[in-house]
Amino acid sequence: MSILMIQSHYQEPFADTAPLFADIIASGLMKVVREKELTDEHFAAARGLITTTHLDQIGLQRFASAITAFLDRGGRWIYHGHILRPILPELGVYQPIPNPKRADFDQTRLFEHPIFAGIDQKKLETNRGVAGFYGRGHNPPPAGAIVINALGPTQIPVDWIWARPEGGELLCHAGNEFWGCGDDPEVKKLLARRAAAWLSGELN
C-alpha cells in the first residue's frame, strides 16, 4: 500500500508539493493522482493520504465513504487548508483570525509531534521576512485532538493531530502546505521526508 497525494486539476502537474517528494514518488511509496482521475480504489489501496490547499472540497464529498473506510482501517491523513466542506461530521468550518496583526502570526510549539520534533518553529514563521503564509486562522479541533502548533498570544490551533476513536489519524494544518513554508530548504526537505515516514507508519 502506498501514500496517495491528491493533486488538484487546477495545479500544473507536480506543482507546489510534489518536487519535495520526487524520490519518494520514484520509489513507488507515493502515488500522485489528479482529482478528476480519483476512484474509490485509490483510497482502498492507500495507507496514507495528502490533500493540499487546492483541494476541491465539493468534489471530494463523493468519496466520503471511501475516506471513512480508509481511516477506519488505520489510515493517516495530512490535511492542508481551510475546511469549508467537512468530509467528517466531527470537523468544523475554518475560522480566520479577525483583523490579524503581526503578533497574531507568532508561532508556538505546544506538542512535539514526530514530524515537527526538534525543528525551530520560528523557521516556519516567515517567508522572505513576511509572516502569515503558514496560517491565518484555524480549523476547529475535534474533541480529543492535540494541538501541535499555535498562533499568536491566544494560541490559535493552526496544527493539530486527532486520533479518531473509530481508527485512523488526521493531522490538520490550516494553511499552505507546511513543508512549503519558511526559507530554509533543508527544513522543508526534512518536513516532507518526515511527513512521508509518518504517513507510511515508519515514524510514530
Side-chain angles (χ1 to χ4, degrees), residues 5-18 32-35 51-55 177:
M5 177 187 282
I6 299 177
Q7 187 179 51
S8 170
H9 49 278
Y10 295 106
Q11 295 172 273
E12 291 297 323
F14 295 98
D16 293 339
T17 59
V32 181
V33 178
R34 294 179 77 78
E35 285 175 333
T51 53
T52 74
T53 54
H54 299 275
L55 179 69
E177 287 71 46

Side-chain angles (χ1 to χ4, degrees), residues 119-120 123-124 179 181 184-192:
I119 293 174
D120 182 359
K123 291 192 173 184
L124 305 180
W179 46 70
C181 296
D184 188 332
E186 295 306 313
V187 169
K188 293 180 180 183
K189 291 177 185 176
L190 179 59
L191 285 170

Side-chain angles (χ1 to χ4, degrees), residues 18-200:
L20 284 173
F21 298 97
D23 291 345
I24 300 169
I25 293 168
S27 74
L29 178 62
M30 180 178 290
K31 183 178 182 65
V32 181
V33 178
R34 294 179 77 78
E35 285 175 333
K36 59 187 176 183
E37 298 168 354
L38 276 173
T39 66
D40 286 351
E41 286 68 32
H42 287 115
F43 296 97
R47 72 176 80 174
L49 173 63
I50 294 174
T51 53
T52 74
T53 54
H54 299 275
L55 179 69
D56 176 0
Q57 296 183 41
I58 295 174
L60 194 70
Q61 294 295 318
R62 69 187 187 275
F63 297 109
S65 295
I67 290 173
T68 299
F70 156 80
L71 291 168
D72 286 348
R73 67 171 187 271
R76 288 177 167 178
W77 181 7
I78 296 180
Y79 184 101
H80 298 95
H82 305 165
I83 296 177
L84 301 175
R85 301 289 181 124
I87 198 78
L88 300 171
E90 297 89 349
L91 301 180
V93 173
Y94 174 78
Q95 298 179 15
I97 299 172
N99 304 312
K101 305 294 189 294
R102 172 61 182 87
D104 294 311
F105 301 137
D106 291 343
Q107 297 185 27
T108 304
R109 174 76 42 72
L110 300 180
F111 174 69
E112 289 293 312
H113 186 275
I115 291 178
F116 295 93
I119 293 174
D120 182 359
Q121 196 63 23
K122 292 294 181 183
K123 291 192 173 184
L124 305 180
E125 197 167 279
T126 61
N127 285 54
R128 299 182 180 180
V130 179
F133 288 95
Y134 193 84
R136 291 173 171 264
H138 75 288
N139 298 312
I146 298 172
V147 180
I148 301 170
N149 298 308
L151 298 175
T154 59
Q155 297 192 337
I156 299 295
V158 66
D159 296 319
W160 46 260
I161 180 75
W162 177 46
R164 293 174 69 243
E166 300 85 356
E169 295 178 85
L170 174 62
L171 194 162
C172 184
H173 169 66
N176 296 315
E177 287 71 46
F178 57 74
W179 46 70
C181 296
D183 296 315
D184 188 332
E186 295 306 313
V187 169
K188 293 180 180 183
K189 291 177 185 176
L190 179 59
L191 285 170
R193 187 166 65 247
R194 285 184 176 179
W198 181 75
L199 287 168
S200 66

